[in-house]
């Protein structure tokens, strides 16, 4: 599909999505007599319009991809509104903030004149953020991957995911093997100290896939996959909270009150609603 065809498809999809959400929110608001529904019926399509129509005229972005992203985000708000209008409003606010953050990031990336100067800053910032939970963290479900600053809590590893891709892409594009390997190993070591094996696995697979995309070296890629599997087995044997999660996955009903709660709720939802649910 050419760029012109993708733009045309994105225009049609975003227009259809805006009409669908406008009608859906109005119907739900009329059913419940809720003023919030009327507000969301205007705010959500307006956000879709801003993202799908205005942004491609400012930056050379993929309009079809933007339309699909907006469709999924707005669908979540719509379904959430049918269950809890207050939660839907919070999600809509987060959606709007995320949309403007995306615009800011697009502008920021395109305005960077030299990644060579920025990458060392991102490396130091990444390692500093990942080290925060070790000093200001609190343990949740066996892992200490949240940092608390007063009443504000966040996961530094979520932000560092973006920095990881930028740093690895920079070094791999220049065929500099050792710097990205050392950086990745340092990030994984800090995550292991936090006992956050799930995020460590995501970091590891991200680095491995980027290595494969940049080098095309299949033997080393498969060797890396084998090493990741061996490390996962070692983590299972070394950390009790990982073993509890695997046990809860294998037999969630036995651990319904704690580790298996979400799995059981999901199974109950599928059993009662089937493949397509019970409707809004």
């Amino acid at each position: 599909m050419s760029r012109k065809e993708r733009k045309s498809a994105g225009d049609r999809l975003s227009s259809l999505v805006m009409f669908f959400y406008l009608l859906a929110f109005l119907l739900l608001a009329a059913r419940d007599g809720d003023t919030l529904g009327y507000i969301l019926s205007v705010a959500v399509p307006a956000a879709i319009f801003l993202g799908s129509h205005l942004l491609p005229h400012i930056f050379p972005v993929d309009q079809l991809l933007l339309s699909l992203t907006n469709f999924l985000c707005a669908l979540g708000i719509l379904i959430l509104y049918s269950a809890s209008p207050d939660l839907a409003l919070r999600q809509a606010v987060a959606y709007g903030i995320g949309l403007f953050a995306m615009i800011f990031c697009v502008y920021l990336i395109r305005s960077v004149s030299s990644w060579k100067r920025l990458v060392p800053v991102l490396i130091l910032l990444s390692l500093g953020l990942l080290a925060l939970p070790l000093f200001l963290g609190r343990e949740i479900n066996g892992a200490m991957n949240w940092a608390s600053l007063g009443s504000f809590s966040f996961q530094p590893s979520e932000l560092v995911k973006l920095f990881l891709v930028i740093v690895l892409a920079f070094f791999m594009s220049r065929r500099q093997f050792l710097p990205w390997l050392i950086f990745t190993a340092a990030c994984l070591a800090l995550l292991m100290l936090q006992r956050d094996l799930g995020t460590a696995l995501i970091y590891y697979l991200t680095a491995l896939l980027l290595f494969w995309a940049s080098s095309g070296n299949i033997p080393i890629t498969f060797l890396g996959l084998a090493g990741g599997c061996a490390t996962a087995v070692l983590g299972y044997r070394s950390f009790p909270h990982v073993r509890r999660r695997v046990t809860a996955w294998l037999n969630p009903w036995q651990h319904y009150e704690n580790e298996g709660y979400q799995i059981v709720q999901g199974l109950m939802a599928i059993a009662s609603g089937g493949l397509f649910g019970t409707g809004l």
Side-chain angles (χ1 to χ4, degrees), residues 8-258:
S8 177
D11 279 333
R12 292 195 300 270
L13 178 61
S14 60
S15 299
L16 182 62
V17 167
M18 281 192 292
F19 175 75
F20 169 75
Y21 285 112
L22 177 62
L23 182 60
F25 277 114
L26 286 174
L27 287 173
L28 286 173
R31 182 197 69 181
D32 300 333
D34 186 8
T35 307
L36 177 59
Y38 293 102
I39 296 174
L40 291 177
S41 69
V42 176
V44 174
I48 294 172
F49 177 82
L50 177 65
S52 301
H53 286 278
L54 296 184
L55 194 59
H57 294 291
I58 303 174
F59 302 106
V61 296
D62 192 320
Q63 188 162 356
L64 179 59
L65 182 60
L66 272 177
S67 298
L68 291 171
T69 303
N70 280 321
F71 169 74
L72 293 175
C73 291
L75 180 63
I77 297 173
L78 177 63
I79 294 176
L80 195 58
Y81 173 75
S82 68
S84 173
D86 291 337
L87 289 177
L89 178 60
R90 291 170 54 187
Q91 188 72 10
V93 171
Y95 172 41
I97 293 173
L99 190 64
F100 282 104
M102 178 187 68
I103 296 173
F104 173 76
C105 288
V106 170
Y107 176 78
L108 180 65
I109 290 175
R110 290 185 60 81
S111 65
V112 173
S113 58
S114 175
W115 287 102
K116 186 176 181 179
R117 297 179 180 178
L118 187 60
V119 163
V121 177
L122 293 180
I123 292 175
L124 294 176
L125 184 61
S126 298
L127 297 178
L129 285 171
L130 288 178
L132 270 182
L134 300 176
F135 302 97
L136 303 174
R138 54 192 178 93
E139 184 174 317
I140 300 177
N141 296 326
M144 193 167 60
N145 53 356
W146 285 77
S148 299
L149 300 172
S151 59
F152 177 70
S153 299
F154 70 106
Q155 275 187 284
S157 59
E158 294 299 317
L159 182 60
V160 177
K161 286 178 182 177
L162 302 175
F163 301 157
L164 177 76
V165 174
I166 294 174
V167 171
L168 295 188
F170 174 82
F171 286 124
M172 289 181 182
S173 66
R174 286 158 176 75
R175 297 292 189 270
Q176 298 177 358
F177 181 80
L178 196 58
W180 74 257
L181 184 63
I182 294 175
F183 174 67
T184 304
C187 291
L188 292 176
L190 289 170
L191 290 172
M192 294 297 288
L193 289 175
Q194 300 170 24
R195 300 188 295 278
D196 189 1
L197 270 66
T199 304
L201 181 62
I202 293 174
Y203 276 44
Y204 183 83
L205 289 177
T206 300
L208 192 62
L209 289 173
L210 284 174
F211 169 76
W212 172 73
S214 65
S215 67
N217 193 319
I218 295 179
I220 294 183
T221 302
F222 275 102
L223 185 63
L225 284 173
C229 292
T231 305
V233 173
L234 180 62
Y236 170 79
R237 295 182 176 179
S238 302
F239 298 103
H241 72 282
V242 177
R243 293 196 296 272
R244 290 197 302 269
R245 292 179 183 179
V246 174
T247 303
W249 174 68
L250 293 173
N251 190 1
W253 298 97
Q254 185 179 351
H255 305 273
Y256 172 69
E257 296 295 334
N258 38 66

